[in-house]
Amino acid sequence: MKLKVYRYQEGMEYPEYDSFEVEREPGLTVLGALLQIQEQLDDSLSFRYSCRGAVCGTCAMLINKVPALACRTQIEPLLKGDLQVSLFPYPGAEETVPWDAKKEVLIEPLPHMAVIKDLMVDMDKFFEYYHFIQPVFKPSDINPEKERLMDPQDVKKLEEYTSCILCAACFGACPVEGENPEYLGPAALAKLYRFHIDPREEDTSRLKIADIPPGWWACDSIGNCLRVCPKKVPPIKAINLAREELNEKK
Amino acid sequence: MIHEYEVVIIGGGLAGLRAALQVFDAGVDVAVISKVNPLRSHSVAAQGGMNASLGNVRGPEGSVDTWKNHAYDTVKGSDYLADQDAVEIMCREAPLSVIELEHLGTVWSRLENGKIAQRPFGGAGFPRTCYAADRTGHNALHTLYEQVNHRKIPIYEEFFVTSLIRNQERCTGCTALEFLKGEIHGFIAKAVLMATGGFGRIFNKSTNALINTGDGQALALRAGVPLKDMEFVQFHPTTLYGTNILITEGARGEGGMLLNKRGERFMEKYAPGSLDLAPRDVVARSIEEEIAQKRGFEGDYVQLDLRHIGAERIKERLPGIRQISMDFAGIDPVNDPIPVQPGQHYSMGGIDVDINGQTILPGLYAAGECACISVHGANRLGGNSILETVVFGRLVADKIIEDINDLATPPKKQVEKGIKTSKNHLEKIIQSKGLENQFNIKNMLNKTMSTKFGIFRKEDGMLKGLGDIHKMQEIVSTVSIKNKELELNHALIRLLELQGMLHVAESVAISAIERRESRGSHKRTDFPERNDENFLKHTLVKGEAGNMVVSYSPVQLGMFEPEERVY
Ligand SMILES: Cc1cc2nc3c(=O)[nH]c(=O)nc-3n(C[C@H](O)[C@H](O)[C@H](O)COP(=O)(O)OP(=O)(O)OC[C@H]3O[C@@H](n4cnc5c(N)ncnc54)[C@H](O)[C@@H]3O)c2cc1C
Ligand code: SF4
Ligand code: FES
């Protein structure tokens, strides 16, 4: 089976696409196929990985025009068309090269971030926005001896957001991000909301950090983020709830 | 480029980040070096939880858990090879460490009364394991990362450490390859803390992240520091058939049952007292035995049945496990049993340190999975490892803080020399014109380790394995890589990893051959019994690749006398 892979290196005017023939194995994932290429065909191919089990958030890339974790995406069902995710079209995932979805898998770097080499992108912007929302717990009581109590129902609500692995798939799937590179993006906003609703938090003005045009208000509720998130984090829900709350206070 | 800090921490997992917070908060100048973004460290994958005798959930007949119970289970689980003074510290500090994470922001799963929830785990007499659904490591690591960033502690990420710097009498820093630029940096430090995690990837079928290649253990060996108890490698009984992604012990903690091809709950035979929740070594061997007796399924696996637990509870407590089963095996555990087989999971052995986390080389410390402070002995209990990372991440940092004033600022000379040596080493690799493909050697190594040093071991097989490792060490020097750039060169990184892996593999092999008994995870078919008279002692290995020597050191007993282990 074939993989069509985006190749780029500093100094190249345009990226190129290389086709690789990889060996079929039951359950072969995109990451497995990329490793096969690195090991047997072309050891200069660059991509990031770590856990290979969809928990560390390292290997997000554009697979058949959809941002996804390479280690979680299996090749067979892709070729059969079973894994199709229909996204609202956006410039980051426009047509780039001809490719036959039944015969080959198209692999490209995540949109909205500068390409360092091949499938490796510069995550600095994504993390800059993450840092911007001040992702750190600010508790009301300092250093008590005992655990604070938490209602399991509150924990359930929090868990919707704490499960984010910062893979940036949502960021790379967001049409708004393409138009407005200042937009903080779904992951950072969801993270901010996670701290806001933590019942142990003291800082009640957290939502204000993103009460700026490229913050809560930039989202167009398109929903690509939801469709691609491997952890089912609902940024749009957070954004809408935050907006409601901020509007009430105004 | 040369950087100078008082303390350099190598590794950004739970151990490294916890230590970084401690050192920074004491006003000591510190930096973290990590070969990946710290959030991508293996710690993020820990699922089931962290042990602490909080006593939030009552035990048998309403009894309340204590640190001493925890210590007893740990020592018994270790097959009496753990150092009991270290175990005592870990178990005493456990409740504080869980609560400390809670105060830093970790969201733990809760009981109806709002307290931190606890679940039963293998080999434990009480429901002691605190958890965050099945994302415990994720929640804890993200919390520590948030705190480290908040303090603006410098992190050198995608920096691959290539050597430790030592002068005659102490460790004075390290060198690292900046992946993106292909440049060698030197780090001068009064103290270096190794927190580089495990070496699972020397084996086939491992639950570990692909980056767990034992670099830290190899660096220590090369700096003349011994490794301890390397023969004790944990095989987890339940890894997903095919990819060997971990299916947490929490799944059995919630009531999951192991079944063979005939649908029998075979653990009734092997551990009638604790059934599926016997310790890992016992369950892993039982599964292998079933497979050997042809009662496994085609392809060598058994089934883990969760169906009776019910959809609601599976979704609430084991959502990640359900997702993994759906993504990687195409089955939903609500409706179908999960195909599982044993796989390499954890390294009990590691860099030899004393109770303070100090190696024999002054200025060099180690904590977390790369270290062997010996709380796990011959077999680790589930939930004790991420506990170890945060407890000793903090305590070893305290020791460093205490020592730092007595350590003089090291001279630049050695680090300059170290940079040169590292550069030459890389140049040599780049220029090599050999024919051998490094990945074939890696595959050979993986196979050798799993077949010769797997769950069951025997002298002749192991000797053959050791011979093969020596051969691989020779041919690895004839490898060439096609990519000739220094920057952004994954092939180069992977070759550096492989060179270290071969060195670490040799240490495992030699230690295992020399231990002529069965204890914990080290099961020898030619010496099936535990032999306290000759082997109630730690193995130490030291030396260059191809030239390793074994010695022994005593086990710290104290609270609990060795007994036969029955479950
Ligand atoms: C799937 C799985 C589930 C687990 N679940 C549990 C559980 O529920 N409970 C439990 O107690 N334990 C669990 N464990 C064990 C536990 O997760 C690990 O032992 C623990 O996380 C190790 O943490 P650490 O900080 O020592 O190392 P790691 O988290 O492995 O971090 C190592 C760090 O070192 C860095 N590093 C390595 N080499 C180099 C180099 N050459 N240069 C620079 N940096 C380097 C890496 O980048 C990384 O940042 C689990 C293990 C596995 C495999
Ligand atoms: S919200 Fe989902 S897609 Fe976005 S970074 Fe987090 S886990 Fe990835
Ligand atoms: S490698 Fe960790 S998410 Fe894919």
Side-chain angles (χ1 to χ4, degrees):
Chain A
M1 72 183 71
K2 259 206 191 130
L3 256 66
K4 201 168 212 172
V5 185
Y6 179 102
R7 302 303 298 268
Y8 171 82
Q9 204 167 350
E10 208 185 299
M12 282 165 67
E13 199 169 340
Y14 296 106
E16 291 167 3
Y17 285 81
D18 278 351
S19 279
F20 295 101
E21 188 73 37
V22 298
E23 232 170 275
R24 265 193 149 95
E25 287 166 17
L28 184 68
T29 60
V30 170
L31 179 65
L34 292 173
L35 287 166
Q36 240 192 62
I37 296 174
Q38 198 178 68
E39 297 182 358
Q40 305 298 341
L41 304 170
D42 182 351
D43 71 7
S44 71
L45 181 66
S46 277
F47 53 95
R48 290 192 178 99
Y49 59 82
S50 173
C51 72
R52 71 78 179 81
V55 287
C56 75
T58 313
C59 67
M61 51 188 74
L62 200 61
I63 302 171
N64 285 359
K65 297 295 178 191
V66 178
L69 299 178
C71 67
R72 195 175 91 145
T73 310
Q74 290 185 18
I75 303 246
E76 287 284 343
L78 261 188
L79 293 173
K80 277 201 226 135
D82 290 352
L83 293 182
Q84 266 176 26
V85 181
S86 65
L87 294 184
F88 187 88
Y90 65 111
E94 76 277 29
E95 199 180 304
T96 40
V97 274
W99 120 89
D100 180 350
K102 288 203 186 77
K103 292 207 186 102
E104 52 189 2
V105 178
L106 180 63
I107 303 180
E108 300 167 289
L110 272 189
H112 310 325
M113 283 167 273
V115 176
I116 297 175
K117 189 183 165 203
D118 302 338
L119 305 169
M120 271 179 78
V121 293
D122 184 346
M123 299 278 284
D124 281 0
K125 194 171 87 164
F126 177 77
F127 275 104
E128 189 190 309
Y129 295 157
Y130 162 81
H131 293 309
F132 177 82
I133 59 98
Q134 296 176 22
V136 72
F137 183 50
K138 300 174 187 164
S140 49
D141 42 2
I142 308 293
N143 227 2
E145 300 283 287
K146 270 200 160 142
E147 69 203 83
R148 280 169 289 230
L149 301 184
M150 280 176 95
D151 183 336
Q153 294 312 316
D154 289 344
V155 170
K156 223 181 229 165
K157 276 189 229 150
L158 263 180
E159 278 180 338
E160 279 195 301
Y161 303 103
T162 53
S163 56
C164 168
I165 55 174
L166 295 173
C167 66
C170 55
F171 194 82
C174 178
V176 177
E177 192 56 50
E179 275 168 33
N180 174 6
E182 312 266 278
Y183 174 41
L184 297 179
L189 291 173
K191 180 67 73 184
L192 172 50
Y193 194 71
R194 167 252 177 278
F195 284 103
H196 172 65
I197 60 169
D198 193 323
R200 302 168 299 177
E201 260 286 328
E202 179 173 46
D203 186 349
T204 51
S205 63
R206 275 199 182 255
L207 291 185
K208 289 226 181 79
I209 298 176
D211 188 7
I212 47 173
W216 303 116
W217 312 104
C219 169
D220 281 340
S221 297
I222 290 165
N224 278 0
C225 54
L226 275 178
R227 273 167 235 144
V228 301
C229 177
K231 299 290 153 185
K232 300 197 175 75
V233 179
I236 295 196
K237 186 167 147 192
I239 292 168
N240 286 334
L241 289 167
R243 284 177 178 177
E244 269 172 40
E245 220 177 295
L246 285 167
N247 281 333
E248 265 167 37
K249 284 193 191 128
K250 277 185 181 158
Chain B
M1 205 186 296
I2 294 182
H3 314 265
E4 208 173 315
Y5 294 95
E6 285 186 283
V7 180
V8 161
I9 297 173
I10 308 176
L14 282 169
L17 295 189
R18 181 64 194 85
L21 290 183
Q22 195 75 0
V23 173
F24 180 90
D25 287 349
V28 177
D29 182 34
V30 56
V32 175
I33 307 178
S34 170
K35 68 175 175 178
V36 293
N37 172 314
L39 287 172
R40 322 304 187 196
S41 300
H42 177 62
S43 289
V44 84
Q47 299 174 348
M50 183 165 146
N51 297 339
S53 56
L54 291 178
N56 289 350
V57 177
R58 291 292 158 104
E61 286 148 30
S63 54
V64 181
D65 201 6
T66 62
W67 73 262
K68 239 183 160 164
N69 292 330
H70 184 182
Y72 174 72
D73 291 337
T74 301
V75 170
K76 179 178 171 194
S78 82
D79 222 346
Y80 296 89
L81 199 72
D83 284 336
Q84 298 191 14
D85 49 355
V87 170
E88 172 170 348
I89 292 176
M90 181 176 81
C91 298
R92 276 183 188 272
E93 295 287 329
L96 177 87
S97 301
V98 169
I99 293 168
E100 181 181 270
L101 278 171
E102 196 272 300
H103 279 276
L104 292 171
T106 303
V107 179
W108 294 100
S109 292
R110 300 286 172 148
L111 301 166
E112 279 309 316
N113 65 12
K115 291 187 175 179
I116 293 172
Q118 297 185 280
R119 60 164 56 127
F121 242 54
F126 283 79
R128 184 182 293 136
T129 306
C130 309
Y131 59 95
D134 48 15
R135 291 186 295 269
T136 314
H138 165 93
N139 279 18
L141 188 68
H142 279 246
T143 301
L144 293 181
Y145 184 70
E146 288 155 10
Q147 297 287 342
V148 163
N149 276 310
H150 179 64
R151 288 164 176 75
K152 301 200 164 46
I153 298 173
I155 299 176
Y156 292 84
E157 76 183 48
E158 298 192 314
F159 273 60
F160 185 94
V161 173
T162 48
S163 74
L164 295 173
I165 308 287
R166 71 173 288 178
N167 63 15
Q168 283 316 315
E169 70 280 8
R170 60 183 271 228
C171 177
T172 57
C174 66
T175 58
L177 169 65
E178 182 182 8
F179 180 71
L180 295 185
K181 301 223 171 103
E183 213 175 289
I184 295 276
H185 295 242
F187 291 83
I188 300 182
K190 293 181 184 175
V192 174
L193 173 64
M194 305 289 284
T196 50
F199 56 80
R201 284 288 158 185
I202 67 173
F203 287 86
N204 255 348
K205 292 189 196 157
S206 168
T207 62
N208 284 203
L210 300 177
I211 60 167
N212 278 18
T213 46
D215 308 346
Q217 290 84 340
L219 287 167
L221 276 175
R222 277 187 225 126
V225 173
L227 304 181
K228 184 161 75 198
D229 292 343
M230 293 297 281
E231 63 273 40
F232 297 107
V233 175
Q234 180 159 75
F235 296 87
H236 198 291
T238 59
T239 78
L240 192 65
Y241 172 62
T243 52
N244 302 101
I245 294 173
L246 180 74
I247 302 297
T248 173
E249 194 162 295
R252 280 170 291 135
E254 297 294 344
M257 297 186 302
L258 290 163
L259 305 175
N260 64 17
K261 190 168 71 178
R262 300 184 192 154
E264 295 159 341
R265 189 177 189 188
F266 56 84
M267 284 312 296
E268 285 171 353
K269 227 171 14 197
Y270 301 97
S274 36
L275 297 167
D276 305 279
L277 278 179
R280 293 179 174 173
D281 57 334
V282 176
V283 182
R285 275 196 296 273
S286 308
I287 295 175
E288 285 291 288
E289 190 61 35
E290 287 298 298
I291 292 171
Q293 299 294 327
K294 307 265 179 274
R295 291 191 290 272
F297 291 84
E298 170 100 29
D300 295 344
Y301 65 89
V302 297
Q303 290 183 330
L304 177 64
D305 197 351
L306 303 182
R307 290 172 298 183
H308 56 285
I309 296 174
E312 198 183 325
R313 196 153 152 152
I314 292 178
K315 286 178 193 164
E316 183 199 322
R317 307 235 181 139
L318 301 164
I321 291 307
R322 179 163 179 250
Q323 198 63 48
I324 288 169
S325 307
M326 298 200 290
D327 288 343
F328 294 96
I331 65 118
D332 182 347
V334 168
N335 308 317
D336 298 296
I338 310 175
V340 293
Q341 61 183 188
Q344 187 287 339
H345 183 58
Y346 184 81
S347 334
M348 265 80 69
I351 301 168
D352 175 36
V353 290
D354 66 13
I355 186 109
N356 296 310
Q358 161 81 60
T359 68
I360 57 159
L361 180 63
L364 184 69
Y365 303 76
E369 189 171 343
C370 74
C372 184
I373 205 163
S374 200
V375 285
H376 310 304
N379 171 60
R380 166 179 78 93
L381 294 189
N384 266 353
S385 164
I386 57 174
L387 173 63
E388 178 195 4
T389 63
V390 288
V391 168
F392 291 106
R394 170 164 56 86
L395 295 179
V396 176
D398 280 341
K399 176 66 179 156
I400 292 174
I401 295 161
E402 189 188 312
D403 291 352
I404 205 87
N405 291 330
D406 300 334
L407 293 165
T409 303
K412 259 198 184 141
K413 214 173 66 217
Q414 278 111 12
V415 90
E416 281 165 350
K417 217 171 112 204
I419 294 176
K420 236 186 232 143
T421 315
S422 272
K423 268 193 188 148
N424 288 344
H425 183 58
L426 298 190
E427 287 296 336
K428 223 173 102 197
I429 293 178
I430 295 279
Q431 279 157 17
S432 161
K433 296 203 176 70
L435 291 173
E436 194 63 51
N437 177 338
Q438 60 163 319
F439 302 106
N440 297 339
I441 304 177
K442 196 203 89 203
N443 291 338
M444 227 165 13
L445 172 67
N446 287 162
K447 223 195 241 147
T448 301
M449 294 312 290
S450 289
T451 52
K452 305 294 194 290
F453 302 94
I455 295 179
F456 293 105
R457 303 166 171 190
K458 204 171 162 204
E459 176 130 335
D460 49 357
M462 291 195 289
L463 286 173
K464 165 105 186 22
L466 178 62
D468 291 345
I469 293 170
H470 285 147
K471 265 183 235 145
M472 288 182 249
Q473 287 172 341
E474 262 166 50
I475 49 177
V476 82
S477 55
T478 68
V479 151
S480 83
I481 51 182
K482 293 197 200 93
N483 186 353
K484 300 293 183 196
E485 313 278 321
L486 272 173
E487 72 263 30
L488 287 161
N489 191 339
H490 292 276
L492 177 60
I493 297 284
R494 295 189 66 184
L495 183 53
L496 294 172
E497 288 174 344
L498 177 61
Q499 290 175 340
M501 286 161 86
L502 286 165
H503 204 164
V504 172
E506 183 183 351
S507 74
V508 173
I510 292 202
S511 309
I513 291 167
E514 293 298 322
R515 185 173 284 275
R516 293 183 181 82
E517 65 157 353
S518 290
R519 184 185 296 269
S521 69
H522 177 68
K523 179 73 182 178
R524 291 202 43 171
T525 50
D526 46 355
F527 296 96
E529 302 298 324
R530 191 174 87 191
N531 180 343
D532 282 348
E533 204 176 313
N534 296 326
F535 287 103
L536 187 57
K537 56 188 182 188
H538 297 298
T539 312
L540 298 175
V541 279
K542 199 175 156 173
E544 291 296 313
N547 204 357
M548 251 178 225
V549 281
V550 173
S551 60
Y552 293 92
S553 71
V555 173
Q556 283 299 321
L557 298 171
M559 284 179 286
F560 313 106
E561 279 306 303
E563 293 167 6
E564 200 194 338
R565 239 168 117 225
V566 188
Y567 287 97

